Amino acid sequence: MARRGNKERIIELFQENQEKYTAEEIANSLGIQRNTASGILNDMVREGTVRKEKTRPVMFSYIMKKSKTSDDPFTSFIGADKSLKEIVEKCKLSAGYPKRGMPILLFGPSGVGKSLLAEYIYKYAKFIHAIPEDAPFVVLNCADYANNKELLASVLFGYKKGAFTGAVKDTKGLIEKANHGYLFLDEVHRLSPEGQEKLFQYMDKGIVSRIGDNGHNFELNVRLIFATTEGRETMLETFLRRIPVDAVLPAFEARTLEEKYQLILSLFYQEALIMECSFLVSSNIINRLLTFQGQGNIGTLKNIIRLSCAKAYNDTEETGIIPVRLGHLSDPRKFMMNGESVPYVNQDVEISSKEYPIQLISTTERMKIYFPEETIAAAVQRYLENKITIARFRKIIYNEINHMIDDVIYQEMDSYIENLYGQAINNILIYLQDNYGLKYNGIVERVFAKILYVLSNQNGKVNDEPYEVIAKQLQTVMYRYYKMGLIFYEMIHQAIDYETNPWFVRLFAMLYFYSMVKEEEDYINAIIVSHGPATASSIASTVNKVFETYIFESFDMAYDTPKKEVVSRIKKYLKNTNTSKGLLILVDMGSLLSISEDLKEDVEGDLGIINNITTEMALEAGELILRHENLQDIMDNIVSHHVTKKSYVPSRKSPKAIVLCCMTGLGTAVKMRELLQQCMEGMELEVVEAAYPDLQKNGNKSDVFRKYDVQFIISTNKVEVDGYITLLLNELIDGRGEKTIYETVGRYFEKDIVQKFIENIIRSFTIRNLIGQLTILNPDKIIDDVGEVITRLELLERTNYPMDLKKMLYIHMCVMVERLMLEKGLLPEGETTQILKCRESFQKNLKDSFSVIEDKYHVSINDLEVQMIYNLVEEI
C-alpha cells in the first residue's frame, strides 16, 4: 500500500512542476528512501509513464499522455518504421499536398498489401484534415472490366442519357462519386490507352466529362491512388509522367523477420475477432509461416491462417482457448522445404480477440541506447599512450559497459520479438563458447537482443564511423575480443539479415566480451599450426573450451601447403597482434621449426616453436600460459613431459560402429555424428568420424577398422573400402540406405528398433534439416542462393546433374559458404591454395557461377574448394 501511495505522490510532483528530477531529489522532496524512489521510477520507466535520460546523474521526467484520437494512422501499419519507412513517407507526401493532392502509383506483386496501403493513405489524409471526415473512398478494380473497355469507361466517368444503347438516364461515374475524397484504381494497367488519356484532362485541369457529353465539362476535387502488379512498360509514358509519386511494395519474403512475425500475429488476431474467441498458436506453425515464400504473399498467407483457424475451431468441443496446431495447416510441406523449420520462436503464442497481440512503434520510441562514446574514446587514447595502466583501462570499460547494460536491460520490448533475436544470438554465443572459450551468462542474450532491436528501430541513420575508429584502435591490443566482435556481427548478419550500425555492434560486442573477463589477460600469445582438415582448429577449440578462455588461435593447412604460405598467414596474424609478452607456436611437423627465422622480426617478445602437437600438449601449454609462466619455462616443461610414450592394452571385443567420412572437415562430421546419434533409440551403436584422406589412402588399414566393428560407412564423397559398404549421404534416406541398415545393424537389434532408426533418419537427414544443423546460416536463404549457383553451373557446363549429385552439392556448398565466411578477409588469415587438378573450363564455370554467392556473402572461393567440388562432380 505504501508503494502505491509513493508512486502517486511522485506523479503529483511531476505534474505540479513539470521538471526533471534525479532519484535523490525526489527522495528528498517526498521524505522517502533513495532506493525506494529509484525502484518506483524504474517501474514507471518500464510502464512508459516516465522518461529516463542517460545523463550523469540520471534524470527522470514525466511523459504526458496524448489523446488517442490524435494518433497518426500509420503508427499501426506494420513496417511503417522499418522496411516500408520510405514508402510511408512518400504516401504522407502525396496525402499532404494541397487541393487534389499528388497522385501516387503503387507497384508490387499480388497480395503484398497495396489495397491496404491505399486505405491508410485515405485515413492519413483525414487525420491531417486534407479531406473532410466524411470524405468518400471509392475503389475500382480495372481488371473486372478488362475485356470491355467501353463499359469500364462508362463506369469510371459516367454517361449521358442516350450515349449508347441502354443508357436510359444520366448516370454518375465513380470519379464523380469520389468527389472531395479518394478514387483508388486497382490493376490500373488494365485501363485501356483511351481510358488513360481520358484521365489526362482531369489530372491536368481537374475537369471531366461523361461519356456522350463531351461538350459539358465540370470540375471535381478527387485525389487519385493507382496500383498495379505489372511494370511501367504496360502503361502509357504520357500517363506515367502525370504521376509524380510511386512506391514499390516488397514481397512477404523480403520483409524483415520482425515484420513477418507481426503480420502473422495480426492475421491470427483478425480471425480471433471474427470468431470471437482466443487461439493458442503453436510455435511450430509460426516458425513455418515465417519461412513462407509462395505466390500471393500476405493475401495467400491470410487464407492459409483463416483455414487453419477454421479447422482448429471445428476440432475443439470445449469452450476456452482454442489450440492451433501444425496439423491444422492445409499443407505443412509448403513451409518446410522437406525439412524442419527454423526455431525462431520456441513457445506457443496466445491470441485473444480482446487484446491486440503486438506493439508497434511505441515500443521503439520508449527504448533508447546511451553509448559513452567520448568516455571510451578518451580511455582508449590514454591507454594507447601509456597514460593509464591496463587495470585502470579495464575498470573504465567495465564500468561504462555495465552502466549501458543497466540502462537497456530493464527497458521493455515485446517478449516474442525479443525471442526472435534471442534464438539467433544464443546460437552465436554457443559457437563462440565452443570455439573461443567465451564465458557468458543468461543476461548476455537479453542485452544483445535489446540493443540490436533498438538499433534496427532507431529514427534516422547514426554515423558509424566513430565506432569503427575506436574498434580499429583497439585491434592490436585487444585482438582476441576484436576477432570475436567481428565474428558476432558476421553471424548475426547472416542469421537475421541484420545490417544496422555494423561497427557499433562489433565494438560493443568486443568491449562487452572484454568486460566480462574478471582477470587481467595480458599473457603470451599462442597459435597452433597443423596440416589436415580442421586439425588445428579442433585442438584449439578443445583447449579454449576447457579453460573458458580464448588462448589459442588456429591455422588449418592443406597437406601440401608450402612453408612460404604458412609463414605468410602467420605474418598477417602478427600484424594485428600485441606480441610483447611473447609468442608460442605449436606445429605438427619438424620442418616448421625453421619458420622462427622468418618470423623473428615480426615478434616483439620471445618466440618459441614446438613440434609434434597433440591435444594433451596444448592443454598443458594453456594451463601454463594462464599461470603467467614465462615462455622459456613453458617450453622446458612441455619438452620434458612429452617424450614418446607407449601403452599396450590386450585385445578386447570391438564395439559396433558406423563410420562418418566428410571431405568438408571433421567439424562437419562431428555435427553429423550428433544428428545421427539422436536417431538411435535403444541401440548400443557408436558413430565415429574418419578423415576422408585417411580412408582414401589407407582403406581398411585405417585405425578406425582396427578399433571398431564397423557396420558400414557414410560419406559425403565417393570412397571405396574393401569389405565395407559405403553409402553416400543422399543414399542414406533412399532404398539402398534402408537395405544396408537392415543387412548390417539389423542383425543385432529388434526389427521395430531398426525401423524406428530408419524413420528417424528419413526425418532428420533431409537437405534442409541437414543444412540447418550443420551451419548457422538461414537454411531458406542459403538453399535458394546455392540453388542458383548449381543451376548456373549446369548451364555453363551444358549438362543436367542427377538429383543425387545435386543433393550432395547443396549440402557441400552450404557448409562451404559458412566456412569461407568465418575464414574470410575480416580475419587476419590468408586463403588455402593448391595446384588444381581439374579442367580449366570447369574452374572458370564454377567461379562464374559462384559469383552470386561471393557478392551476397562477401566471400571468395579458393582453389582447394574448387578442387573439392570438382572431385564431388566427377565421382558421383
Side-chain angles (χ1 to χ4, degrees), residues 389-402:
T389 63
I390 188 172
R392 175 61 182 157
F393 175 67
R394 291 180 63 81
K395 186 174 182 181
I396 293 172
I397 298 299
Y398 178 82
N399 289 338
E400 294 301 328
I401 291 297
N402 278 277

Side-chain angles (χ1 to χ4, degrees), residues 738 741-742 754-763:
E738 183 174 356
I741 291 172
Y742 270 117
V754 177
Q755 185 60 37
K756 182 67 174 176
F757 178 44
I758 293 171
E759 290 173 358
N760 290 342
I761 287 175
I762 292 172
R763 183 169 60 252

Side-chain angles (χ1 to χ4, degrees), residues 361-538:
I361 298 180
S362 58
T363 299
T364 300
E365 290 173 347
R366 288 205 303 268
M367 294 182 67
K368 298 182 183 298
I369 290 180
Y370 164 72
F371 184 77
E373 177 190 332
E374 293 182 2
T375 304
I376 287 180
V380 169
Q381 196 63 40
R382 292 172 65 199
Y383 174 61
L384 293 176
E385 294 173 356
N386 296 318
K387 292 182 179 179
I388 57 175
T389 63
I390 188 172
R392 175 61 182 157
F393 175 67
R394 291 180 63 81
K395 186 174 182 181
I396 293 172
I397 298 299
Y398 178 82
N399 289 338
E400 294 301 328
I401 291 297
N402 278 277
H403 279 311
M404 184 177 174
I405 292 168
D406 288 342
D407 286 336
V408 77
I409 195 64
Y410 293 112
Q411 297 189 49
E412 292 296 322
M413 65 185 288
D414 189 308
S415 60
Y416 302 117
I417 298 298
E418 184 176 348
N419 191 59
L420 291 180
Y421 286 87
Q423 288 292 303
I425 291 167
N426 185 57
N427 291 338
I428 296 170
L429 294 175
I430 291 173
Y431 175 86
L432 292 174
Q433 175 181 266
D434 290 347
N435 290 276
Y436 298 96
L438 174 69
K439 292 180 283 189
Y440 70 95
N441 52 40
I443 202 172
V444 178
E445 182 183 311
R446 294 180 60 207
V447 169
F448 274 112
K450 293 188 176 185
I451 284 179
L452 293 176
Y453 177 70
V454 175
L455 286 174
S456 65
N457 286 278
Q458 62 195 338
N459 292 322
K461 188 175 181 180
V462 177
N463 183 12
D464 210 33
E465 290 181 5
Y467 308 117
E468 180 180 5
V469 171
I470 298 174
K472 290 189 173 179
Q473 284 179 322
L474 290 171
Q475 181 176 357
T476 301
V477 296
M478 206 185 288
Y479 174 72
R480 290 180 171 89
Y481 304 99
Y482 177 82
K483 179 176 177 179
M484 286 195 282
L486 296 181
I487 291 174
F488 179 87
Y489 175 77
E490 189 64 34
M491 293 176 76
I492 200 68
H493 168 67
Q494 296 298 334
I496 60 174
D497 292 327
Y498 184 87
E499 295 181 342
T500 308
N501 291 107
W503 279 107
F504 178 92
V505 175
R506 292 169 182 139
L507 177 61
F508 176 76
M510 65 184 285
L511 293 178
Y512 193 6
F513 298 151
Y514 181 72
S515 70
M516 289 162 56
V517 179
K518 296 180 179 179
E519 297 179 359
E520 181 181 331
E521 292 193 2
D522 189 13
Y523 43 64
I524 293 169
N525 276 278
I527 62 178
I528 297 173
V529 182
S530 184
H531 297 77
T535 306
S537 57
S538 178

Side-chain angles (χ1 to χ4, degrees), residues 332-352:
R333 291 172 296 178
K334 285 183 180 179
F335 315 97
M336 295 165 58
M337 296 182 66
N338 300 320
E340 297 298 321
S341 61
V342 180
Y344 296 117
V345 179
N346 60 10
Q347 54 185 313
D348 298 345
V349 181
E350 183 178 343
I351 307 290
S352 171

